[in-house]
Amino acid sequence: MSAFSSSDELYQVMVPFYEGLTTHSEVGPKFAKANTSFRLVHHDPEATFVMDATQNPAVLTYGEAAQSGEVAVELTMSADDGHKFWLGKLNLPVALARRKVKVKGNVASLLGILPALQPAYAHYRAHLESLGRPA
């Protein structure tokens, strides 16, 4: 069973989560320190997000507005794999090697931000629980 039944549901869950990360006391400053931007393109269902961490706090764009413009890194993966990533159940380097996650752009900057995301895993679980969704 998929984690998300539609693009609308994916946006309803992920937009508040990503917005919360931009102001999270631990994650937000680490995003800003990374000084990069990345686009997440999901399929099954489809959704697009851009996190511009060249600003402090980082700025989230999503939907049509996120589908164009320059970013340092673009990641493409299924919505289920994105869900697994935020649960801490998807090893990104392994997923990259197996082509479950496709990357365009500066992979080194992407891998450099991974340690900053560790606190976000617990934040995602708490977010899901607040929505009454299983983690």
Side-chain angles (χ1 to χ4, degrees), residues 6-127:
S6 67
S7 295
D8 286 342
E9 181 183 19
L10 180 54
Y11 283 119
Q12 288 170 358
V13 171
M14 298 309 293
V15 168
F17 169 67
Y18 288 140
E19 287 175 339
L21 289 183
T22 65
T23 58
H24 188 274
S25 61
E26 201 173 345
V27 179
K30 291 179 180 180
F31 270 140
K33 187 176 180 183
N35 194 33
T36 192
S37 59
F38 55 94
R39 178 178 294 117
L40 300 168
V41 179
H42 291 300
H43 54 85
D44 303 319
E46 296 181 1
T48 306
F49 305 90
V50 169
M51 185 72 72
D52 182 356
T54 62
Q55 305 175 55
N56 189 7
V59 174
L60 173 70
T61 338
Y62 55 92
E64 258 185 61
Q67 294 176 4
S68 61
E70 293 294 317
V71 292
V73 182
E74 181 174 289
L75 294 104
T76 303
M77 69 185 86
S78 72
D80 281 348
D81 284 337
H83 175 69
K84 288 175 191 170
F85 172 79
W86 290 113
L87 287 172
K89 296 180 179 179
L90 181 81
N91 181 301
L92 190 57
V94 171
L96 289 168
R98 292 185 177 162
R99 307 280 297 150
K100 287 186 89 169
V101 176
K102 296 176 184 164
V103 177
K104 293 179 188 172
N106 187 343
V107 177
S109 70
L110 170 68
L111 295 176
I113 200 170
L114 285 181
L117 298 179
Q118 290 295 324
Y121 301 150
H123 183 64
Y124 185 61
R125 281 189 185 90
H127 174 66

